Amino acid sequence: MSCWIRGCPTKSGLTKKSLFTPYSDEMFNKWKDSGIAKKGINKFTKKSRVCELHFQKDDVIRVDTFKIEGSEDFLVPRKVPKLRKGAIPSIFPPVRHYHINSIGEQINYYRINVNKQNQKKQQTGETSVVAQLTSYGKNHQIFNNTEEIALVEYIKRIADIYYGITPKEVRKLAYQFAIKNGSKVRNSWNENKIAGEDWFRNFRKRNNSLPIRLKTTSLCKAISFNKHNVNLFFTNLKTICNCLKVKPSNIWNMDEIGISTVHTPDRVIARREMKQLGKIISTETETLVTMAVAVSAIGNTIPPFFIFPRAHYKDHFIQEGPLGSAGDVDPLGWMKEEHFIKYCQHFVHHVRPSKEKPVLLLLDNHESHLSIEALDYLKENGIIVLSFPYHCSHKLQPLDRSVYEPLKNHINTACDNWLASNPGKSLSIYDISEIIKTALPLATTSTNIQAGFRVSGISPLNENIFPDIEFLGSNILINREDTSIVIKAENDELLSVQENVDLSAAQENVDFLSLKKNNSPSSIYQDISHLPKVEPYQEKKRTCKRTNAIYTDSLEKDALMEQKLDCPRKSRISKEETEIEQKSKTIRKNKNKINSDKDVKVKEDSYADETMKDDSRVQGFKRELEADKILGSADDNGKLMYLMQWKGTDAVDMVSASEANAKCPQIVIRFYEERITWKRAKVKP
């Protein structure tokens, strides 16, 4: 709706004002007699609307006044202005000033551009002039639409590779481009060498697809989440689902989360003049309780499993927790291999898997999840264990995608309510189970759980859930062949990432005339601030780095067992070599203090005899030690090997089975007797 008066600014949509109509026949006749009928294009009727710009300032009421006895008048602003009784429109064009009936403003100036037709009417003596209002365009817009689109493209592209720029850097970049392009800017831009805050504010309004966010991403996650690891994970997942016909109800995800006694309070409403606002928390020193959660692809969940930082477990730790919960203790409250075995028993008890009805369990590569005993137990009960790729759980794990974030918020709210219900008390680890009983059902809803499996591409299975733009960060970081790294953009255009340039330093030799003609708009800003250059990434050596694998598979489990046995052996060897080297240095230092060469020889011979048995270069039965027991077995290129422990020392060695059978047959027999399982035949009644 617009004003009926010809030439009014509200007709062109430049401003929005309140509209009024004559509320009675008497007022209609008074408005008509005032000469308003000649000011419009159409016939003036009772339904014709006239805006507030054509009334005097006092004719429009914006505030209602209430009088209270014994006190001052009470003023209440009106949501919709109303017209004073008996008010008649009296302000019409052609004029250059319109009265604005608003608090704090009185006059608004508009430029009037009179065309040739209106000039002819003025020459003939006609009084009505059609006013054409010319606006200034978009406020504070220095660049044209093409240049702004290029800036938006550049900001998005550099954020896709995890090197996004801050609002201040965007303002610096805009100023540098405006100076190089010869655009007319304000004096404040030249004084501060940066674009103004008002320009950036209006720039964001014109491009609302650029929110300001902060979410940290570690370098390991950016590198590990690449196409190779993701494709390997989905290949294994597809193989299991096709071969074993695993249903969504039998796909489970398990992970741990730390619950602290010191929570983050929710925001509160307080006085504006208060600069330091506090909210009560329990203590300043936090204590961590680990909770293991498991959810299925159809939205089901099982009771949680707690690990408390205590030496001895008591039943009252989980007395107020969710029904069916279980727990254990650890001095630090962390999940370890012995705790994971108990959790597997807890999981089997509630899920009830079998070899006829297999279950797929998805978990990360934490060391506590790779217990050989636990993997054997899961395999015997029909559970297939599939691990996520290294440092990829933030994208592939359903619990991380849709459950843990709302769970943390509900825990904070529950802690606030608990402290308000128990004033003067501190939240301890024994109250964590009660907090979880309130917060966990609110976070582990069927909608949240199913959304996590859906956005990670697990259920329903969608191996193309992640577009190419998700892997831009890994493409720029793991390329080791050339220092000039190539990124694939959204429009399949290849951009060469050159050396990193500080945003405060402008390039001297930039041809902006050629930049404008370039088909790639984002390259306009790359010549001022290049995309970051990353040196060839050198991967740190890890003794036990693991990738995506099906750990209940025989080959993977054997390789894992050999790796677990080999890692402590290598660390022990390096430790022994270090100790031997340190002792040798001590002997060389003390050699000058010994007067007799004979004493030196005796001392060195005694040291050699002492360290001969623990020397890493002497292994197996060459140590001349008595065998104590066999810890495990492994396959070395088709040759059976035993992990032998020796009496009177912590040293262990891999020895061949043929040598052990000849030198210690009783220990070999005892090793197999401990692992024999007898199956009793069922007698039908």
Side-chain angles (χ1 to χ4, degrees):
M1 294 183 292
S2 61
C3 181
W4 180 80
I5 302 297
R6 181 190 302 139
C8 181
T10 58
K11 187 179 291 294
S12 62
L14 184 61
T15 60
K16 292 184 179 180
K17 300 297 179 181
S18 300
L19 302 174
F20 305 104
T21 57
Y23 53 85
S24 64
D25 294 338
E26 181 183 358
M27 291 305 302
F28 172 73
N29 294 328
K30 288 183 179 181
W31 286 24
K32 194 173 183 180
D33 295 340
S34 65
I36 193 175
K38 299 180 181 180
K39 305 300 181 181
I41 300 177
N42 301 324
K43 183 179 179 181
F44 183 72
T45 62
K46 293 182 180 180
K47 295 183 179 180
S48 299
R49 296 178 174 85
V50 181
C51 72
E52 59 184 88
L53 294 178
H54 306 284
F55 294 88
Q56 298 295 332
K57 181 179 178 181
D58 298 336
D59 290 343
V60 180
I61 301 174
R62 297 181 178 275
V63 178
D64 290 334
T65 304
F66 295 91
K67 295 184 178 181
I68 302 175
E69 296 181 0
S71 62
E72 298 180 355
D73 294 345
F74 188 64
L75 303 179
V76 178
R78 295 180 57 85
K79 292 183 178 180
V80 180
K82 71 176 182 178
L83 199 62
R84 182 181 58 82
K85 188 175 182 180
I88 298 175
S90 58
I91 302 175
F92 308 107
V95 293
R96 293 179 181 270
H97 299 78
Y98 282 93
H99 291 278
I100 293 182
N101 301 315
S102 61
I103 300 174
E105 295 182 354
Q106 185 178 6
I107 299 176
N108 189 6
Y109 179 75
Y110 297 96
R111 291 183 179 180
I112 301 178
N113 182 16
V114 182
N115 56 17
K116 294 181 180 180
Q117 182 180 0
N118 294 336
Q119 290 178 359
K120 290 182 180 180
K121 289 185 178 181
Q122 283 182 340
Q123 293 175 0
T124 57
E126 296 184 12
T127 57
S128 62
V129 179
V130 179
Q132 295 181 353
L133 301 175
T134 304
S135 63
Y136 289 108
K138 297 180 180 180
N139 295 333
H140 309 294
Q141 183 174 358
I142 305 298
F143 311 116
N144 55 36
N145 294 334
T146 303
E147 294 168 346
E148 280 212 353
I149 292 173
L151 179 58
V152 172
E153 178 80 10
Y154 175 81
I155 294 173
K156 290 181 178 179
R157 190 166 296 179
I158 198 171
D160 292 338
I161 61 175
Y162 302 108
Y163 283 93
I165 55 179
T166 63
K168 188 174 182 180
E169 292 170 343
V170 173
R171 292 164 56 196
K172 286 184 180 180
L173 182 63
Y175 170 74
Q176 294 170 13
F177 178 73
I179 295 300
K180 287 291 182 180
N181 199 25
S183 301
K184 186 178 180 181
V185 298
R186 296 183 178 182
N187 294 331
S188 60
W189 287 34
N190 293 324
E191 293 175 359
N192 302 322
K193 306 298 181 183
I194 190 174
E197 293 182 0
D198 54 347
W199 172 87
F200 180 74
R201 184 165 51 251
N202 288 278
F203 170 74
R204 287 193 60 209
K205 288 182 180 179
R206 293 190 295 269
N207 303 276
N208 54 8
S209 62
L210 296 175
I212 299 177
R213 295 181 297 178
L214 174 62
K215 190 172 183 180
T216 58
T217 301
S218 67
L219 182 63
C220 296
K221 291 182 178 180
I223 296 173
S224 298
F225 188 73
N226 52 65
K227 275 191 174 182
H228 172 74
N229 289 339
V230 173
N231 291 338
L232 178 62
F233 169 76
F234 280 109
T235 300
N236 290 332
L237 180 62
K238 187 189 298 184
T239 302
I240 295 174
C241 294
N242 294 337
C243 295
L244 301 179
K245 306 297 181 181
V246 179
K247 299 180 180 179
S249 59
N250 295 329
I251 300 177
W252 290 79
N253 174 217
M254 173 265 176
D255 192 30
E256 298 89 4
I257 183 173
I259 311 298
S260 174
T261 54
V262 179
H263 71 289
T264 303
D266 294 335
R267 293 185 295 178
V268 297
I269 300 176
R271 297 176 182 269
R272 183 177 294 273
E273 59 270 16
M274 291 185 63
K275 295 183 179 180
Q276 294 183 350
L277 180 64
K279 185 71 181 293
I280 294 295
I281 59 176
S282 58
T283 57
E284 294 183 358
T285 304
E286 65 177 3
T287 306
L288 187 71
V289 176
T290 301
M291 180 180 66
V293 182
V295 295
S296 70
I298 62 173
N300 293 336
T301 181
I302 65 173
F305 187 88
F306 298 92
I307 301 177
F308 295 91
R310 288 292 181 268
H312 303 285
Y313 179 74
K314 303 295 182 182
D315 292 336
H316 68 83
F317 290 177
I318 59 173
Q319 187 174 0
E320 300 296 332
L323 187 63
S325 301
D328 203 355
V329 291
D330 179 75
L332 298 177
W334 296 348
M335 173 73 81
K336 296 182 179 178
E337 291 188 2
E338 56 269 22
H339 308 131
F340 184 66
I341 296 172
K342 295 183 179 180
Y343 178 79
C344 293
Q345 298 172 356
H346 174 75
F347 180 82
V348 171
H349 173 71
H350 288 279
V351 178
R352 303 288 184 180
S354 62
K355 293 185 177 181
E356 294 77 16
K357 186 181 178 182
V359 169
L360 174 61
L361 180 61
L362 305 172
L363 39 76
D364 55 25
N365 276 308
H366 194 265
E367 293 181 357
S368 61
H369 301 160
L370 304 179
S371 170
I372 302 298
E373 182 179 353
L375 294 177
D376 289 338
Y377 177 79
L378 293 174
K379 185 176 181 179
E380 291 175 359
N381 288 274
I383 299 177
I384 302 98
V385 178
L386 176 63
S387 67
F388 296 108
Y390 199 68
H391 286 309
C392 292
S393 59
H394 65 293
K395 291 284 189 179
L396 293 173
Q397 183 159 246
L399 284 171
D400 285 339
R401 296 298 301 269
S402 64
V403 176
Y404 280 163
E405 190 66 27
L407 177 60
K408 294 176 182 177
N409 297 332
H410 290 303
I411 288 175
N412 294 333
T413 303
C415 290
D416 284 340
N417 297 336
W418 189 94
L419 292 174
S421 303
N422 300 272
K425 295 183 179 181
S426 297
L427 186 68
S428 65
I429 61 172
Y430 308 114
D431 302 313
I432 293 295
S433 59
E434 182 181 354
I435 298 296
I436 295 300
K437 184 178 182 180
T438 305
L440 188 61
L442 300 176
T444 55
T445 60
S446 298
T447 304
N448 287 353
I449 297 173
Q450 292 176 8
F453 279 90
R454 182 173 60 256
V455 297
S456 59
I458 296 176
S459 179
L461 183 61
N462 184 7
E463 55 186 340
N464 298 320
I465 189 68
F466 299 106
D468 292 341
I469 195 173
E470 294 277 357
F471 306 108
L472 288 182
S474 62
N475 290 341
I476 191 174
L477 292 173
I478 65 177
N479 192 339
R480 307 170 189 174
E481 298 178 357
D482 189 7
T483 57
S484 178
I485 302 166
V486 176
I487 304 175
K488 187 174 182 181
E490 296 180 16
N491 56 354
D492 296 334
E493 176 189 355
L494 295 179
L495 301 173
S496 179
V497 183
Q498 303 171 9
E499 57 184 68
N500 190 9
V501 180
D502 188 6
L503 290 173
S504 60
Q507 299 295 320
E508 297 295 335
N509 301 320
V510 180
D511 187 3
F512 285 92
L513 296 177
S514 62
L515 289 178
K516 287 185 177 181
K517 298 178 182 179
N518 195 344
N519 294 329
S520 176
S522 62
S523 61
I524 297 177
Y525 290 89
Q526 291 175 22
D527 287 277
I528 292 183
S529 176
H530 294 302
L531 295 177
K533 171 186 173 181
V534 180
E535 296 180 357
Y537 176 73
Q538 294 181 357
E539 185 179 351
K540 295 181 179 179
K541 293 183 179 180
R542 299 180 59 92
T543 55
C544 298
K545 183 176 179 179
R546 306 175 187 90
T547 181
N548 168 252
I550 306 173
Y551 283 119
T552 49
D553 184 67
S554 300
L555 297 177
E556 293 290 346
K557 189 173 65 175
D558 292 343
L560 175 63
M561 183 174 62
E562 183 177 357
Q563 189 182 50
K564 291 173 73 67
L565 295 175
D566 191 43
C567 286
R569 179 172 170 268
K570 288 182 179 180
S571 61
R572 177 186 58 79
I573 291 173
S574 61
K575 184 178 179 181
E576 290 177 355
E577 290 178 350
T578 304
E579 292 178 354
I580 294 172
E581 184 179 356
Q582 290 178 354
K583 291 180 180 180
S584 301
K585 289 181 180 179
T586 305
I587 292 176
R588 286 194 295 268
K589 288 181 180 179
N590 296 333
K591 187 174 182 179
N592 298 328
K593 299 180 181 180
I594 301 175
N595 298 325
S596 175
D597 295 340
K598 182 177 180 180
D599 295 338
V600 175
K601 185 176 181 181
V602 171
K603 193 164 188 176
E604 290 181 349
D605 290 343
S606 61
Y607 169 71
D609 293 337
E610 182 181 349
T611 59
M612 180 67 180
K613 295 180 181 180
D614 290 333
D615 192 351
S616 60
R617 292 170 294 182
V618 180
Q619 299 179 2
F621 289 98
K622 294 181 180 179
R623 292 178 179 269
E624 298 181 358
L625 296 175
E626 184 180 356
D628 185 16
K629 61 179 178 180
I630 298 176
L631 300 179
S633 60
D635 183 17
D636 184 11
N637 296 326
K639 185 178 180 181
L640 181 60
M641 305 290 290
Y642 293 137
L643 182 65
M644 187 70 70
Q645 184 176 2
W646 311 101
K647 285 187 178 181
T649 180
D650 295 333
V652 292
D653 291 317
M654 296 295 293
V655 299
S656 63
S658 58
E659 192 176 5
N661 295 336
K663 294 187 177 182
C664 52
Q666 295 300 326
I667 295 178
V668 176
I669 294 173
R670 186 173 59 188
F671 171 73
Y672 283 105
E673 286 180 347
E674 292 175 354
R675 285 158 177 76
I676 291 177
T677 57
W678 300 96
K679 293 185 179 180
R680 297 183 179 179
K682 295 183 179 180
V683 180
K684 294 183 179 180

